[in-house]
Amino acid sequence: MTFMLTFMVEGNPIGKGRPKFARRGNFVSTYTPTKTRDYETVINEAARKAMGSNEILETPVTVAIYITVPIPQSYSKKRTEACLNGSEKPTKKPDIDNICKCFLDAMNGAVYHDDSQVLTLHITKVYGSVGMVEVMVREDLD
C-alpha cells in the first residue's frame, strides 16, 4: 500500500532566507535567520501532526506543494478580480523556489529522513483571498 500524507500551513508563505554570518572573535559562524527558522518550525509541527504515529519514510517520495499568496490590499477591485480568476499571476515575492526549499527542509526528520528522497516535485503558486500552503507527500514506489 502506498503511503500518502497531506497537510496545510495557514498564513502568508515565507521563502527561505539566505544564511547570515556573524564574526565571533577570530571565527565566523553561520546561522539561519529567525523568521525562516520560526516558519520552518511551524511547518515541521504541522508535518509531524499529520504523520501521527506513522514511521518516517525511508522510500523515495513525490511532493506536491500548492502555494496560495494573498492578494495585496492595495489592489483595486478590478485587479483583485483579475487575480482571483487567474488572469493576473503572482509574479512577486516570495519566490516559488525559496518557499519550496523552506518546506522541503522543514519536513526533514518529520516526514522523511532527508529531502534527497524527493524524486518528483510539483509546485504551483496562485493568488487567493488568504495565504496558505497545502502539501501532499506520497511514496514513490513505482
Side-chain angles (χ1 to χ4, degrees), residues 109-130:
V111 177
Y112 41 70
H113 288 288
D114 189 74
D115 53 353
S116 63
Q117 291 171 243
V118 177
L119 296 184
T120 308
L121 182 61
H122 301 278
I123 316 164
T124 304
K125 183 169 111 172
V126 297
Y127 273 127
S129 53
V130 295

Side-chain angles (χ1 to χ4, degrees), residues 20-116:
K20 304 292 182 190
F21 301 94
R23 181 175 290 271
R24 308 218 191 276
N26 292 333
F27 302 97
V28 175
S29 63
T30 308
Y31 64 94
T32 303
T34 305
K35 188 175 180 181
T36 300
R37 192 172 53 241
D38 292 346
Y39 192 55
E40 286 182 347
T41 300
V42 169
I43 297 165
N44 188 282
E45 288 171 358
R48 285 182 189 277
K49 184 177 178 183
M51 282 293 285
S53 61
N54 294 303
E55 294 288 319
I56 292 176
L57 299 174
E58 297 187 17
T59 57
V61 296
T62 293
V63 177
I65 300 175
Y66 192 82
I67 303 162
T68 304
V69 180
I71 300 166
Q73 290 182 334
S74 61
Y75 281 14
S76 66
K77 282 185 178 182
K78 184 177 180 180
R79 195 165 178 194
T80 297
E81 185 61 37
C83 291
L84 290 174
N85 71 26
S87 59
E88 184 169 338
K89 307 295 184 191
T91 56
K92 308 271 189 267
K93 298 238 181 221
D95 296 353
I96 195 170
D97 59 323
N98 291 336
I99 298 169
C100 179
K101 184 66 177 159
C102 201
F103 272 80
L104 294 179
D105 288 347
M107 289 189 288
N108 284 340
V111 177
Y112 41 70
H113 288 288
D114 189 74
D115 53 353
S116 63

